[in-house]
Amino acid sequence: MDTPTPITPAGWYDDGHGQLRWWDGSRWTEHTAPLARQQAQPQRAIAPQRPAARTAPDLVSVPRSKLVWILPLVMLLAALIGGLLGALAAEGISDTDPVEETYAAFLRAERTGDCAALERVTTPGFREDLVDDYAEVFTCEQWQARTNPRRSEIAWAMRLGPFGILVANEQFTNPPSPRTSATYYVEKRDGRWQLDDRDANDDY
């Protein structure tokens, strides 16, 4: 059995004489055209090629040698954070009662002029600021002569382990003064909570 002869589809083809000639599928015709019109010649559609599938090594961007030390570092950091949070929780990280009670004791000492009570809940630096910015040593006599009781309302308080912050709206009574906002820093020293510093816009 003879093999069938391939059929050339109709189209413009180079006839070997420097021009294009129309092939109707079975024979050459008399129709010719310059070679410059070759772009108008029907072209066979070429199916787009699929990109080659990526292999497993292409998908891995982090060398295994780096993972060897990254993973232990992450585990160590997680352990340190967990230990810190545990220690703070044991200290009562969210319990603001000691902070507010220390401030309340300070107000009571101020109202009664109780110097011993004042010294229990304040640091030496805090007491020096109560009397005179230029005083070298705090004395109860100086404080009692200058003390000015105040009306106060706690705005908010927070605690982080042995440290605390309290913000209060205060108004002095003798003589009356405008209401101001004061920030107190509280610290636990030798098992005792004490006011350590104060920021405000008013003078004692």
Side-chain angles (χ1 to χ4, degrees):
M1 183 175 181
D2 297 336
T3 303
T5 303
I7 298 176
T8 302
W12 291 98
Y13 296 92
D14 187 347
D15 63 358
H17 299 286
Q19 63 182 359
L20 297 175
R21 185 177 295 275
W22 180 257
W23 173 265
D24 64 3
S26 60
R27 63 185 181 82
W28 292 106
T29 68
E30 59 183 320
H31 303 291
T32 61
L35 283 174
R37 293 181 54 190
Q38 187 171 2
Q39 62 270 23
Q41 178 179 350
Q43 299 292 330
R44 293 185 182 182
I46 300 177
Q49 296 183 354
R50 285 188 175 184
R54 299 180 67 182
T55 59
D58 295 333
L59 300 177
V60 178
S61 59
V62 180
R64 294 185 61 184
S65 59
K66 291 185 178 180
L67 294 177
V68 171
W69 61 267
I70 290 178
L71 291 179
L73 183 61
V74 171
M75 295 177 64
L76 176 61
L77 183 60
L80 291 175
I81 294 176
L84 177 61
L85 293 178
L88 293 176
E91 287 286 336
I93 184 173
S94 60
D95 181 13
T96 60
D97 287 346
V99 177
E100 297 180 17
E101 291 170 0
T102 302
Y103 177 68
F106 163 67
L107 295 180
R108 287 194 300 270
E110 189 175 57
R111 285 195 301 269
T112 61
D114 189 341
C115 190
L118 176 74
E119 291 176 341
R120 283 194 297 269
V121 295
T122 59
T123 63
F126 185 89
R127 292 192 295 272
E128 289 177 4
D129 290 340
L130 292 178
V131 290
D132 194 336
D133 293 338
Y134 300 99
E136 296 181 359
V137 180
F138 167 85
T139 65
C140 290
E141 291 76 12
Q142 287 177 315
W143 171 66
Q144 290 169 342
R146 292 175 55 89
T147 186
N148 185 0
R150 71 195 79 191
R151 296 190 183 97
S152 177
E153 179 182 346
I154 296 176
W156 63 270
M158 66 172 293
R159 177 187 169 192
L160 187 62
F163 303 98
I165 299 177
L166 181 142
V167 176
N169 297 319
E170 300 178 336
Q171 183 177 20
F172 292 97
T173 59
N174 186 24
S177 66
R179 182 177 289 256
T180 60
S181 177
T183 302
Y184 291 85
Y185 301 93
V186 190
E187 183 177 352
K188 187 176 183 181
R189 297 183 179 182
D190 300 327
R192 180 185 300 173
W193 287 90
Q194 295 179 315
L195 299 180
D196 184 52
D197 198 1
R198 177 181 185 273
D199 289 336
N201 295 325
D202 56 273
D203 297 326
Y204 284 94

